[in-house]
Structure formats: structure tokens, C-alpha cells
């Protein structure tokens, strides 16, 4: 199941579990919608994939063993290991190629 990471790996903006602004790649790298749109141009700087909105895990357990009470969100904050220059160059190579063709 998804970790539901608490922050944008680029700008460190808080992304609570109920945020509609969180975006993830297939490796669950997590970024805010603003960084995905304005900085990353839908290119994950870690894997080169695209992004999708992160699902919101229900707070209430509508079925036994589900919901945040049983599976809480992660509290471990992540930070990019790449420099701004590295990210800019990487994104420039891939941003004009649709994610399905990368």
C-alpha cells in the first residue's frame, strides 16, 4: 500500500494525507502539484516517469482493517538528492516526450 509521504520532495511543502495537491510517480516519489507543473514539467527527477494525483486514504475504516487508523500515513520526510542544475538538465531531456513513451 502507499506510504502517503508527508511532503513535497522538491520544496518541502506539507502534503497532509487529505491533500488534493499531492502528486506521485510509480515509485511513489511525492511532489506538490505546483512543483510538478512549474519545475518538473511532469517528469519525475528520480526515475523519469510521469505523475498522477495521489489517492486519499479514507480516515474512517469503511471495511475492517482499512483506513488511516489501521494504516497511518508516513511521517518520514523525503528530500531530493539532485541539484537544481541536475534536475533542470534531466527534465529538459524528457519533458517533451509523453510519459508512456519514455
Amino acid at each position: 500500500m502507499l506510504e502517503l509521504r508527508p511532503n513535497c520532495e522538491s520544496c518541502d511543502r506539507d502534503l497532509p494525507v487529505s491533500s488534493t495537491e499531492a502528486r506521485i510517480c510509480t515509485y511513489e516519489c511525492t511532489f506538490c502539484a505546483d512543483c510538478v507543473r512549474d519545475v518538473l514539467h511532469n517528469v519525475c527527477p528520480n526515475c523519469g516517469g510521469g505523475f498522477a494525483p495521489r489517492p486519499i486514504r479514507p480516515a474512517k475504516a469503511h471495511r475492517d482493517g482499512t483506513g488511516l487508523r489501521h494504516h497511518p500515513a508516513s511521517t518520514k520526510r523525503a528530500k531530493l538528492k539532485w541539484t537544481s542544475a541536475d534536475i533542470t538538465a534531466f527534465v529538459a531531456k524528457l519533458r517533451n516526450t509523453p510519459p508512456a513513451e519514455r
Side-chain angles (χ1 to χ4, degrees):
M1 93 189 55
L2 297 175
E3 290 180 28
L4 303 174
R5 297 175 185 167
N7 66 305
C8 174
E9 293 181 34
S10 181
C11 72
D12 201 36
R13 174 180 171 184
D14 287 338
L15 295 170
V17 68
S18 62
S19 176
T20 59
E21 295 298 309
R23 302 291 182 267
I24 59 173
C25 75
T26 62
Y27 289 96
E28 205 181 342
C29 302
T30 304
F31 297 90
C32 69
D34 292 341
C35 284
V36 167
R37 181 187 62 242
D38 301 334
V39 178
L40 303 174
H41 304 283
N42 198 34
V43 176
C44 177
N46 297 313
C47 71
F51 292 96
R54 181 181 71 189
I56 295 174
R57 184 169 299 152
K60 181 180 176 184
H62 296 281
R63 297 212 182 255
D64 289 342
T66 66
L68 286 170
R69 186 173 131 242
H70 295 284
H71 302 283
S74 174
T75 58
K76 184 179 176 187
R77 299 181 82 82
K79 186 72 177 151
L80 282 171
K81 62 182 178 181
W82 314 107
T83 66
S84 292
D86 290 334
I87 293 167
T88 299
F90 188 74
V91 167
K93 289 189 313 187
L94 297 172
R95 70 183 280 184
N96 294 318
T97 305
E101 297 175 17
R102 290 187 194 148

